[in-house]
Amino acid sequence: SSSYNLLSSVTALIQALPRELQDTKQYLENNRNYRLQYDSLTERLNNWVEEAQIKLRPLDSGIDFENLHSDLEDHKKYFSQESKLKELLHSIHDMANKIWASLAPKDQDKINHEQEFFTQLVKNTLNSANSRQSEFEQNLKLWKEYSEHLESVQAVLQDLCFEDMEKPSSLSSLKSSTAKIDVHMKKV
């Protein structure tokens, strides 16, 4: 009877073991895929932040006022992806939650710190982008003011062309020429 019990146990084990091994294999493959997805998502985020930080660096050559408008539009286009970034962060958090149970406690702490770091990194990068956009807009405003003043000065200088003005030959023509010059000086 004990041989029979032992044989029954072995038979049950032989029937259950392949299923348990298959379940374990599936669990391991799922967690490996989750970790690969997590790594892929964090790499995408890191690449975006790296590129963003390059775009946010101050230019050594100064401000390119002539291309300022297109630079501002490029900046707005690149940094308008805030919702996509939040989705990416959310996906990273989801993947972290999926692999959480399979991690050792020290790895859980590492993942937890990474999540906090990523969230803060995106927040800081977007804050820097907003500051840079304000700088672009302020510089664009200054460029427009400069251009307007330059146009008005050029118009006044054009009007002051003395070649067309007749040379004063009398006191009244001198007063007339002086009055014309005074009008133009008030425009400046």
Side-chain angles (χ1 to χ4, degrees):
S1 144
S2 88
S3 300
Y4 179 73
N5 286 342
L6 185 58
L7 189 56
S8 293
S9 296
V10 169
T11 304
L13 183 60
I14 289 173
Q15 289 175 354
L17 193 57
R19 189 179 43 219
E20 286 180 27
L21 288 174
Q22 184 62 33
D23 290 347
T24 302
K25 178 184 174 189
Q26 189 63 47
Y27 171 81
L28 292 172
E29 285 178 355
N30 287 344
N31 278 291
R32 182 179 65 91
N33 288 335
Y34 292 151
R35 289 177 189 210
L36 291 173
Q37 288 175 12
Y38 178 84
D39 289 343
S40 173
L41 292 169
T42 57
E43 184 179 353
R44 278 180 46 205
L45 180 66
N46 283 326
N47 289 341
W48 182 88
V49 168
E50 199 173 295
E51 188 176 342
Q53 289 175 345
I54 290 170
K55 291 181 178 292
L56 292 172
R57 281 189 198 145
L59 297 175
D60 294 335
S61 59
I63 300 167
D64 181 5
F65 283 102
E66 292 179 356
N67 295 313
L68 195 57
H69 186 71
S70 64
D71 291 346
L72 174 61
E73 291 307 312
D74 290 344
H75 178 87
K76 284 181 178 179
K77 182 179 177 184
Y78 186 81
F79 289 101
S80 68
Q81 306 172 20
E82 188 171 349
S83 62
K84 288 181 183 178
L85 283 172
K86 288 183 178 182
E87 287 175 24
L88 181 57
L89 274 176
H90 184 70
S91 296
I92 290 171
H93 290 301
D94 284 349
M95 277 302 130
N97 289 336
K98 288 180 180 179
I99 64 174
W100 186 263
S102 69
L103 298 174
K106 70 175 186 143
D107 292 330
Q108 288 177 346
D109 288 343
K110 179 184 172 198
I111 291 284
N112 192 33
H113 289 300
E114 277 184 357
Q115 301 306 299
E116 292 171 4
F117 174 76
F118 290 146
T119 302
Q120 192 61 45
L121 183 63
V122 168
K123 181 180 176 184
N124 291 346
T125 303
L126 291 174
N127 285 341
S128 295
N130 287 336
S131 295
R132 176 56 67 88
Q133 183 172 332
S134 294
E135 289 175 23
F136 273 125
E137 290 168 349
Q138 182 63 32
N139 288 333
L140 190 58
K141 181 180 174 185
L142 290 172
W143 177 247
K144 285 181 180 178
E145 287 176 11
Y146 168 79
S147 297
E148 289 169 2
H149 290 306
L150 181 62
E151 285 177 19
S152 66
V153 167
Q154 287 174 335
V156 168
L157 290 175
Q158 189 78 19
D159 289 344
L160 280 177
C161 187
F162 290 106
E163 295 172 7
D164 296 346
M165 218 182 260
E166 57 186 65
K167 293 182 180 175
S169 56
S170 66
L171 185 58
S172 65
S173 64
L174 179 64
K175 286 181 182 180
S176 173
S177 295
T178 304
K180 288 179 184 177
I181 291 173
D182 285 340
V183 167
H184 290 296
M185 291 295 288
K186 289 178 184 175
K187 288 182 183 178
V188 175

